[in-house]
Amino acid sequence: MSAERRLEGEAGSAQERLRDHLSARNLRLTPERLLVLEGVLTREGHFDAEELLEHLRRSNKSVSRATVYRTLDHLAEAGLVKKHHFQEGHALFEHVHGRDHHDHMVCDRCGRVIEFVNDKIEALQEEVCREHDFRELRHVHQIFGICSACQAVEKRAPNASPHHSGHA
Amino acid sequence: MSAERRLEGEAGSAQERLRDHLSARNLRLTPERLLVLEGVLTREGHFDAEELLEHLRRSNKSVSRATVYRTLDHLAEAGLVKKHHFQEGHALFEHVHGRDHHDHMVCDRCGRVIEFVNDKIEALQEEVCREHDFRELRHVHQIFGICSACQAVEKRAPNASPHHSGHA
DNA sequence: ATTCCTCTTGAGACTGAGTCTCAATTTCAG
DNA sequence: CTGAAATTGAGACTCAGTCTCAAGAGGAAT
Ligand SMILES: [Zn+2]
Ligand SMILES: [Zn+2]
Ligand SMILES: [Zn+2]
Ligand SMILES: [Zn+2]
């Protein structure tokens, strides 16, 4: 299974990174934290904490809710996952270990997520921060609108929408 | 007082816009909704719902919590305010009637909000959308990090934070 | 192995923003 | 006026996330 392979392929260095992050703070790499890391690495796209918790329970790798939340924060600090507050009352995570930075376009109709990177925008952002003596730690850049497919559908049937399943 | 003047100066058209928005949906422009609108227009910068509620109570223009939240959503739909989810569990509003578009930098330490506009970034965004045949309706561009003041504090006392009262 | 100190865990209580319910009230078109 | 439909407020409720704290590791030093 590809998730398993991915885990094997990358787990070594992700674990290493987590271990380094923790030990630098006199924290310990516990079995529970490893279970959460493993769970995170096998999730695709954007997921929330409860979803991860449920996934761990189903796979008989149960970890308490408190530990999941606590560990996700550690992983975020270690730069292994990103935590987004896209909508209210619902933080979403994505694992970013070994992935390049990217931003998102989100279709209001079907929910499709398109990733994009634009080096010029990234550079201009840095410039803006410099101008304000602001030390950037991260950014959220999302463009909402209607994707190509939904525009086509609208043109032909001004009502229906090609319901794109699950968040990407 | 400038807040009063501002209110008089703009209230007419803001009310008008709200009335139009509501009547188009068979909703009513009630005294309560007007109180909330008035409160919103006199707030500076970014504020949260509880702050507004408290403000209304202090000015003897009390409106229930439910109505404040409900009305803020109407105002957002009418394009009179913007609702931001900078941090989790804490929506911030700003009134945008008659204001130009801008994006935000948010300090992780003290919560200060700095507004910025960069025409080049805006243009590049349009370009990215064109490339993907994506029709933009709106965007969220937030840069998180450490503001100038908090950087200074950190340098001198690596712990404390200049708890910035009331978000800017 | 034993000690000792610190970190970690999990169950569940708790918090706080925001929503919902519903009876009483207001609005407004007819 | 009158009545249907919208609105309100008090407070119960939800839900994500945090906190508490007693019990359970980890691990360094002896
Ligand atoms: Zn970016
Ligand atoms: Zn779409
Ligand atoms: Zn912008
Ligand atoms: Zn600051």
Side-chain angles (χ1 to χ4, degrees):
Chain A
M1 177 183 283
S2 88
E4 308 284 350
R5 284 225 48 72
R6 154 96 77 66
L7 182 58
E8 285 179 25
E10 293 187 13
S13 52
Q15 266 189 37
E16 222 168 278
R17 183 149 174 184
L18 178 57
R19 182 175 31 66
D20 292 352
H21 171 82
L22 292 172
S23 69
R25 288 165 181 69
N26 267 343
L27 303 179
R28 292 161 191 168
L29 185 54
T30 65
E32 288 82 2
R33 286 175 181 163
L34 278 176
L35 286 177
V36 174
L37 174 61
E38 187 187 316
V40 161
L41 290 179
T42 56
R43 308 312 289 157
E44 302 278 340
H46 300 80
F47 58 91
D48 61 38
E50 296 295 322
E51 191 179 325
L52 175 60
L53 180 62
E54 193 45 45
H55 166 74
L56 290 170
R57 283 189 176 144
R58 278 196 311 272
S59 6
N60 255 358
K61 297 176 174 173
S62 199
V63 166
S64 77
R65 164 174 285 101
T67 296
V68 167
Y69 278 97
R70 287 186 291 226
T71 304
L72 280 170
D73 283 342
H74 285 129
L75 294 179
E77 279 165 25
L80 289 166
V81 310
K82 265 193 179 146
K83 181 178 187 175
H84 298 289
H85 307 291
F86 293 159
Q87 326 147 227
E88 87 178 64
H90 205 140
L92 289 189
F93 299 82
E94 67 177 323
H95 88 261
V96 294
H97 181 242
R99 294 208 58 198
D100 286 337
H101 167 75
H102 57 269
D103 296 296
H104 300 102
M105 290 189 271
V106 184
C107 178
D108 276 344
R109 292 277 181 282
C110 68
R112 173 174 282 115
V113 176
I114 300 163
E115 301 183 348
F116 74 90
V117 211
N118 185 298
D119 293 338
K120 288 184 213 154
I121 293 180
E122 300 294 331
L124 285 165
Q125 263 176 128
E126 284 172 28
E127 196 180 305
V128 168
C129 289
R130 231 176 292 121
E131 279 165 15
H132 291 265
D133 190 23
F134 189 88
R135 186 164 84 236
E136 169 178 351
L137 294 177
R138 67 190 187 285
H139 63 259
V140 174
H141 194 175
Q142 299 168 269
I143 305 178
F144 295 90
I146 315 291
C147 77
S148 175
C150 289
Q151 284 178 52
V153 169
E154 261 180 19
K155 221 165 272 172
R156 146 165 19 98
N159 269 352
S161 73
H163 244 41
H164 185 58
S165 65
H167 18 230
Chain B
M1 175 184 283
S2 87
E4 309 285 353
R5 283 226 49 72
R6 154 96 76 67
L7 182 58
E8 285 180 24
E10 293 186 13
S13 51
Q15 266 189 37
E16 220 167 279
R17 184 148 173 186
L18 178 57
R19 182 174 32 68
D20 292 352
H21 172 83
L22 292 173
S23 69
R25 290 164 179 69
N26 266 344
L27 304 179
R28 291 161 189 170
L29 186 55
T30 65
E32 288 82 3
R33 285 174 179 165
L34 278 176
L35 286 177
V36 174
L37 174 60
E38 186 186 317
V40 162
L41 291 178
T42 56
R43 307 312 289 158
E44 301 280 338
H46 301 78
F47 57 91
D48 60 36
E50 296 296 323
E51 193 179 323
L52 175 60
L53 180 63
E54 193 45 46
H55 166 74
L56 290 169
R57 282 188 177 145
R58 279 195 311 272
S59 3
N60 255 356
K61 297 177 173 173
S62 199
V63 166
S64 76
R65 165 174 285 103
T67 296
V68 167
Y69 278 97
R70 287 185 290 226
T71 304
L72 281 171
D73 283 342
H74 284 129
L75 295 178
E77 278 167 25
L80 289 166
V81 310
K82 265 196 178 140
K83 181 177 188 175
H84 300 288
H85 306 290
F86 293 142
Q87 324 150 226
E88 85 177 66
H90 204 138
L92 290 189
F93 299 83
E94 67 177 323
H95 88 260
V96 295
H97 183 241
R99 295 206 58 199
D100 287 336
H101 167 77
H102 57 269
D103 296 295
H104 299 95
M105 290 188 271
V106 184
C107 179
D108 276 344
R109 293 276 182 282
C110 68
R112 181 182 325 257
V113 176
I114 300 162
E115 303 181 348
F116 74 88
V117 213
N118 184 299
D119 292 339
K120 289 183 213 152
I121 293 180
E122 300 293 332
L124 285 165
Q125 262 176 134
E126 284 172 28
E127 196 180 306
V128 168
C129 289
R130 230 175 293 120
E131 279 165 15
H132 291 265
D133 189 24
F134 188 87
R135 185 163 85 236
E136 169 177 351
L137 294 177
R138 65 190 188 285
H139 63 259
V140 175
H141 194 175
Q142 304 164 346
I143 304 178
F144 297 89
I146 315 292
C147 77
S148 177
C150 288
Q151 283 179 52
V153 169
E154 261 180 19
K155 224 165 271 174
R156 142 166 23 94
N159 271 350
S161 75
H163 248 39
H164 184 57
S165 65
H167 346 249

